Amino acid sequence: MTLTAPRAVLCLAMAAMLSACTLFPDKPANRIFQLPAPTVAEPNSDNTRFSTTLRLSTPLAEGPVDSSRILVKPDGNEIKAYQGVRWSNKAPILLRDQLVDAFRKDGRFATILTGTSPARSDLTLAGELSGFQIEYQDGVPVAMLQLDLQLIDERTRETLASRRFEYGHPANGEQVEAVVEAFGEACDELAREVIHWAAEQQP
């Protein structure tokens, strides 16, 4: 059957729309990656201990960041995802779990809770994750993290302190395994700084 001119134009437009939706294809991943375990394993050397119970809430996130896709910005502002691979959970949950593990290994705070725990806490760390992707810098893939945090007094609901944390760690190659390791290193660097910052807020 021969298409009329208007019908042909409509078909071409639909084809163009479909091809533009391939940045984040909803296909099952054949490889699923966890973040490497935190290496913030050395307890604080001066044996500082706080009786504080600290709760770490899952950071808020929007758009592609709030997903299990391994994101990459190969050029400019375009965001893509590595094909056939995913994180084992959404990025905000992965980062929260990394921070919880790092805080517990550090040992400065008496008790570390997650947002799902029914126990009461003295302080809560809450915030927003706005960056969790690979960005190319001078041809090198770099794992970039951006996290805004607020330290909240649970008794008064007052924000005691707030800060933006930004970290980038270059990967040793373009393979997905190297990319995952770079994310792990960036998370370690961020965790060390978050722990130090939270400890500085204690009386």
Side-chain angles (χ1 to χ4, degrees), residues 70-89:
I70 303 179
L71 303 178
V72 57
K73 293 175 68 175
D75 185 36
N77 295 316
E78 184 181 27
I79 300 178
K80 295 186 177 182
Y82 287 93
Q83 300 301 304
V85 297
R86 285 181 182 266
W87 293 118
S88 58
N89 213 324

Side-chain angles (χ1 to χ4, degrees), residues 2-196:
T2 303
L3 295 176
T4 64
R7 188 182 294 266
V9 171
L10 178 61
C11 290
L12 288 172
M14 291 179 64
M17 290 176 64
L18 289 173
S19 64
C21 295
T22 58
L23 293 183
F24 300 104
D26 192 16
K27 296 180 180 178
N30 52 31
R31 302 180 70 191
I32 298 177
F33 285 88
Q34 295 178 319
L35 280 173
T39 58
V40 192
E42 292 294 330
N44 63 96
S45 57
D46 59 1
N47 293 317
T48 301
R49 294 289 186 274
F50 305 115
S51 59
T52 308
T53 297
L54 178 66
R55 183 187 307 275
L56 273 69
S57 296
T58 303
L60 300 175
E62 295 181 353
V65 175
D66 189 25
S67 75
S68 61
R69 298 179 177 96
I70 303 179
L71 303 178
V72 57
K73 293 175 68 175
D75 185 36
N77 295 316
E78 184 181 27
I79 300 178
K80 295 186 177 182
Y82 287 93
Q83 300 301 304
V85 297
R86 285 181 182 266
W87 293 118
S88 58
N89 213 324
K90 289 185 176 183
I93 297 174
L94 288 180
L95 183 58
R96 180 206 65 192
D97 291 347
Q98 291 289 102
L99 290 173
V100 167
D101 197 4
F103 266 96
R104 287 173 176 168
K105 287 179 177 178
D106 178 78
R108 258 174 275 198
F109 289 83
T111 306
I112 301 297
L113 306 174
T114 65
T116 58
S117 172
R120 292 186 178 182
S121 62
D122 302 306
L123 301 174
T124 291
L125 267 180
E128 182 177 354
L129 179 64
S130 52
F132 200 87
Q133 71 276 335
I134 289 293
E135 295 183 10
Y136 274 76
Q137 300 179 3
D138 297 325
V140 177
V142 179
M144 300 295 298
L145 309 180
Q146 182 172 300
L147 178 66
D148 290 279
L149 285 178
Q150 298 85 44
L151 186 65
I152 301 168
D153 186 325
E154 280 299 322
R155 291 165 294 183
T156 65
R157 303 306 299 170
E158 178 185 359
T159 298
L160 303 177
S162 60
R163 179 176 163 183
R164 169 168 289 185
F165 297 85
E166 294 181 282
Y167 285 94
H169 193 90
N172 290 325
E174 296 187 277
Q175 302 86 355
V176 69
E177 292 84 359
V179 163
V180 169
E181 289 296 327
F183 272 108
E185 293 288 348
C187 287
D188 278 352
E189 293 167 10
L190 183 143
R192 292 187 189 97
E193 192 62 28
V194 169
I195 292 170
H196 179 70

